[in-house]
Amino acid sequence: MRWAALLWCLASPLAAEEQAQEAARQLQAANARLEAADTGRDRIRALTETVQAYEAGLIAMRDSLRQITVQEAEISRRLAEDREDLARLLGVLSSISKTPNPVIFSHPQGARNAARAGLLTTDMALALEGQVDALRDQLHAAQSLRTARAVATNTLQQGLEGAQEARAALGQAVSDRVTLPRRFEQDPLQTALLVASAQTLADFAAEIAAGTPSPEDTLTASGDLPLPVAGIVLPDQAPNLPGIHVGAAPQALVSTPVDATILFEGPLLNYGTVVIAEPAADVLFIFAGLGTVFVQPGEIVSAGAPIGLLGGAAPDVDGILTENDASNAGQTQQVLYLEVRDRQSAVSPDAWFALE
């Protein structure tokens, strides 16, 4: 019997359920933000914070739901493995309980052996009772996890729908803007010529920065800026590139970590859709791989303002539960490429951003 191996599951279901409850509270708070993000000057900021709140809640709910599902499957698997042994022991105990007392206390080799047999029977009954108690606890844990999984699945589905609604509202609020703060007007023809003649991202960044006035603000590289998207820094995807790749959920919100002027937005070379922002004189932040863009060249954006969304289609609940499987690894993850250039030279992003 492997009942001792099952005991590890007893302490963890409660933690998983509490984590799911906390994630549900985060999603409920995000929903309240969405309802409060009414029309007005700060609607874009409010909706940006709403999308970020949804993303944080969804990440927590995904983790807790996966944990609950794994624990439930592990309990079921171990119970199935020990079912035959348990049934055999229960059969022995049942047979003993039905045996008349005179027969139990008799032994062909005398009273002493009869007493020994009785003691062994008592010890076995006590051991089996402990195993039955462990089984009862496991069955209760499995039922609790099953209920928690159903609630978490429903909450996750509602959160996914709320996040999509918040993203759509944010996109609409951005498009509804009447006036945009601008430092300069982009020359579309000149930009098109630059794009057509660009051989590398570095050359293009240098050309686009040279033709625009620099902001007066200064910015110091302190290595503490938040990543522009909620995700994790991936191992080198392309060692020949000086930037980093950040893996994130489909349609994750990308925002600017500091005040900046948008110098360029559009497709470029093989980088996909690119946004180039200038947070300070001679400093460029380059974001590549966006699916939706909210900013326009010449626009001055404040710290935390939405730049756009990553591409891809948001997975449903079933997709979320299986996306960590080896067969699904990387199929739904989107990647943002982030590069930093200081005085026309690429520098390590960790000089500016907190990568851990």
Side-chain angles (χ1 to χ4, degrees), residues 68-141:
I68 288 172
T69 303
V70 169
Q71 290 175 355
E72 182 185 359
E74 179 65 13
I75 290 175
S76 299
R77 183 184 67 81
R78 292 185 178 274
L79 289 175
E81 288 179 354
D82 292 328
R83 183 178 301 165
E84 183 177 349
D85 291 341
L86 179 62
R88 187 179 299 113
L89 285 173
L90 288 175
V92 172
L93 185 62
S94 177
S95 298
I96 293 174
S97 66
K98 295 178 181 179
T99 303
N101 285 339
V103 176
I104 293 177
F105 292 112
S106 64
H107 195 279
Q109 297 181 6
R112 179 178 295 179
N113 287 325
R116 289 175 178 172
L119 291 174
L120 289 173
T121 301
T122 300
D123 290 343
M124 185 178 69
L126 291 175
L128 184 58
E129 182 179 355
Q131 293 171 354
V132 171
D133 289 341
L135 172 64
R136 185 183 300 111
D137 290 338
Q138 291 302 306
L139 292 175
H140 288 164

Side-chain angles (χ1 to χ4, degrees), residues 106-186:
S106 64
H107 195 279
Q109 297 181 6
R112 179 178 295 179
N113 287 325
R116 289 175 178 172
L119 291 174
L120 289 173
T121 301
T122 300
D123 290 343
M124 185 178 69
L126 291 175
L128 184 58
E129 182 179 355
Q131 293 171 354
V132 171
D133 289 341
L135 172 64
R136 185 183 300 111
D137 290 338
Q138 291 302 306
L139 292 175
H140 288 164
Q143 179 60 42
S144 178
L145 286 170
R146 194 171 297 115
T147 301
R149 180 163 61 87
V151 173
T153 300
N154 182 63
T155 305
L156 178 60
Q157 181 62 49
Q158 294 177 356
L160 290 170
E161 294 171 355
Q164 286 297 88
E165 182 180 351
R167 292 185 184 109
L170 176 59
Q172 186 61 50
V174 170
S175 65
D176 287 345
R177 291 179 300 182
V178 177
T179 59
L180 296 176
R182 290 181 177 275
R183 180 165 291 166
F184 63 93
E185 291 294 335
Q186 181 194 38

